[in-house]
Amino acid sequence: MIKIICVCGARPNFMKIAPLMRAFKENGDFQTLLVHTGQHYDKKMSHLFFDELNIPKPDINLEVGSGSHAVQTAEIMKSFEPVVMDFKPDYCLVVGDVNSTIACGLVTVKLGVKLIHVEAGLRSFDMEMPEEINRILTDRISDLLFVTEQSGLDNLKNEGVADEKVRLVGNVMIDTLLANKEKAEQSDILEKLNLGKQGYAVITLHRPSNVDDMANLSQIIAAFEVIEQDLKLVFPIHPRTRNNIKDTEIGRRIESMANLILLDPVGYLDFLKLMANAAVVITDSGGIQEETTIIGVPCMTLRENTERPVTISEGTNRLVHITTEDILRKYNEIKANDFDVSGRIPKFWDGNAAKRIADILSEID
């Protein structure tokens, strides 16, 4: 049996780890230990996802909670080290680009265990993004790098990573989307919120450059104040964002928007239903750029760069400068086309990425 520790910690990780746990179980060659670092600890941002996506309950929850980047990373490392020493795995598998990814990766390689990085090679080339630092460092210390798109292969090659370490396997997050698409259709979230198909826009914001910078956030909200005259706006608000706007002028502006529905974070299936029926999605998330590409919904990404360029070259995504004028310009372009977009499905985004990873690991061993 191949002994493997699988690590998840933050909301985007859960959608990536679910198909991997399934694939390892179906393959039969693996003994797995699922470790949840507890980086996201709110019920809506953690436990609900395990229930909805049928992820096995974590064997271990480190329950590290929040903190600065340094504190959180250090706490994860301290708690994760004895887990690795006790389980004695052949591999540790980390996904994505959050603090749990690099923290557990560092512990793994320092204990002489092989490290697998799923979703390797993505680059925004913006070192002000904590996620970019996590990506680069995790890729540098990994023994096997599983890549979602061609840009990942190109980036790793340019960085001198040996070809034999790298495999293009597709996107495990899309495995989860395709596996849950029909189940999401059963969600009654549209009825609950009195929404009609393409009668609203979905908004998500969580990046510090957008929600910690009040000047940028004010530009964004000014655009929403115009867009809400066309469409209802559905805004599942991240706890970070809610905390930032509390008792502020921006908070009062948001509350006064009659056509904006402010929600607590919603579960995966409800959110997938919301996205699939929206006229447009306005976000600063990485994963949502990929999901909207698959479901064929126009996506406006409020960032100056993206580590997922295939969503622009082949998908339905477009980058938007953080100014009221550019947000409205891009919105009006999409509206002029009746919110209709055409895009192709990137290579291997077919629901079988996790199976490819399990098969490759079986062949290596």
Side-chain angles (χ1 to χ4, degrees):
M1 297 290 279
I2 302 166
K3 296 181 70 176
I4 184 165
I5 296 178
C6 296
V7 175
C8 60
R11 183 171 179 161
N13 291 173
F14 307 144
M15 286 86 88
K16 297 165 191 173
I17 215 73
L20 288 163
M21 295 301 294
R22 260 195 319 274
F24 291 144
K25 183 178 180 181
E26 289 169 2
N27 181 284
D29 287 345
F30 297 88
Q31 179 185 349
T32 59
L33 184 78
L34 180 58
V35 176
H36 183 358
T37 66
Q39 183 177 331
H40 276 172
Y41 50 89
D42 178 84
K43 180 173 173 57
K44 280 282 178 70
M45 301 189 82
S46 180
H47 302 304
L48 179 59
F49 276 69
F50 278 81
D51 294 339
E52 288 190 339
L53 302 178
N54 294 317
I55 307 173
K57 281 194 167 56
D59 297 295
I60 295 172
N61 191 329
L62 304 180
E63 297 183 339
V64 297
S66 60
S68 70
H69 286 285
V71 167
Q72 194 174 66
T73 303
E75 288 301 322
I76 293 168
M77 291 180 71
K78 283 163 55 181
S79 300
F80 187 61
E81 184 179 54
V83 173
V84 180
M85 294 174 72
D86 181 59
F87 189 67
K88 297 180 175 57
D90 301 298
Y91 297 100
C92 176
L93 182 149
V94 295
V95 296
D97 53 23
V98 298
N99 287 341
S100 297
T101 308
I102 184 59
C104 293
L106 284 169
V107 169
T108 297
V109 296
K110 289 195 173 190
L111 289 175
V113 174
K114 289 180 180 177
L115 180 64
I116 300 165
H117 187 202
V118 173
E119 203 181 72
L122 299 180
R123 298 289 182 268
S124 67
F125 304 101
D126 180 359
M127 292 299 286
E128 291 186 6
M129 290 177 65
E131 296 92 341
E132 183 75 354
I133 297 165
N134 292 343
R135 289 181 204 117
I136 292 170
L137 296 179
T138 304
D139 285 345
R140 184 66 185 87
I141 60 176
S142 291
D143 297 278
L144 280 169
L145 300 103
F146 291 116
V147 177
T148 60
E149 60 170 271
Q150 182 62 43
S151 74
L153 295 179
D154 298 339
N155 293 332
L156 293 171
K157 191 173 189 65
N158 291 339
E159 292 169 14
V161 177
D163 288 345
E164 60 266 22
K165 288 185 172 185
V166 182
R167 303 281 196 287
L168 177 65
V169 294
N171 192 325
V172 291
M173 183 175 268
I174 301 309
D175 289 10
T176 293
L177 187 154
L178 294 175
N180 287 278
K181 204 171 176 185
E182 286 186 22
K183 198 192 298 186
E185 276 302 310
Q186 307 309 310
S187 163
D188 62 355
I189 188 76
L190 300 189
E191 290 78 13
K192 282 182 177 176
L193 299 178
N194 194 28
L195 298 171
K197 187 173 176 61
Q198 288 199 322
Y200 61 95
V202 172
I203 296 164
T204 77
L205 296 172
H206 74 281
R207 294 202 178 273
S209 57
N210 286 334
V211 302
D212 291 355
D213 185 321
M214 289 299 109
N216 281 350
L217 189 54
S218 182
Q219 292 272 328
I220 294 167
I221 297 306
F224 293 167
E225 287 168 334
V226 175
I227 295 171
E228 74 149 350
Q229 296 170 32
D230 281 343
L231 289 172
K232 286 185 179 179
L233 304 181
V234 181
F235 188 3
I237 190 165
H238 193 281
R240 178 194 191 97
T241 312
R242 187 183 285 278
N243 189 55
N244 285 353
I245 64 172
K246 188 178 179 183
D247 299 324
T248 67
E249 184 209 348
I250 289 176
R252 288 186 284 274
R253 284 167 63 191
I254 289 173
E255 287 172 8
S256 69
M257 292 167 67
N259 229 10
L260 184 145
I261 302 169
L262 207 60
L263 303 174
D264 286 331
V266 298
Y268 179 78
L269 298 175
D270 284 344
F271 189 71
L272 183 51
K273 179 73 176 277
L274 282 171
M275 279 199 303
N277 290 278
V280 60
V281 175
I282 305 171
T283 188
D284 56 15
S285 160
I288 288 174
Q289 298 171 49
E290 298 172 330
E291 291 169 332
T292 48
T293 284
I294 292 296
I295 59 180
V297 172
C299 181
M300 295 169 53
T301 299
L302 305 186
R303 287 171 47 186
E304 300 298 324
N305 50 59
T306 179
E307 64 286 346
R308 293 162 165 89
V310 76
T311 63
I312 294 173
S313 62
E314 297 190 28
T316 62
N317 184 30
R318 59 192 70 196
L319 291 180
V320 184
H321 297 301
I322 314 302
T323 66
T324 304
E325 293 73 24
D326 201 47
I327 295 169
L328 292 176
R329 179 163 49 248
K330 295 286 178 23
Y331 169 76
N332 284 322
E333 287 173 6
I334 294 169
K335 179 186 171 186
N337 203 35
D338 292 325
F339 302 103
D340 187 30
V341 289
S342 58
R344 295 171 295 172
I345 304 300
K347 184 178 181 180
F348 292 152
W349 289 25
D350 57 4
N352 294 308
K355 183 179 185 305
R356 291 188 189 97
I357 290 170
D359 289 347
I360 289 167
L361 293 175
S362 288
E363 289 167 14
I364 289 172
D365 276 69

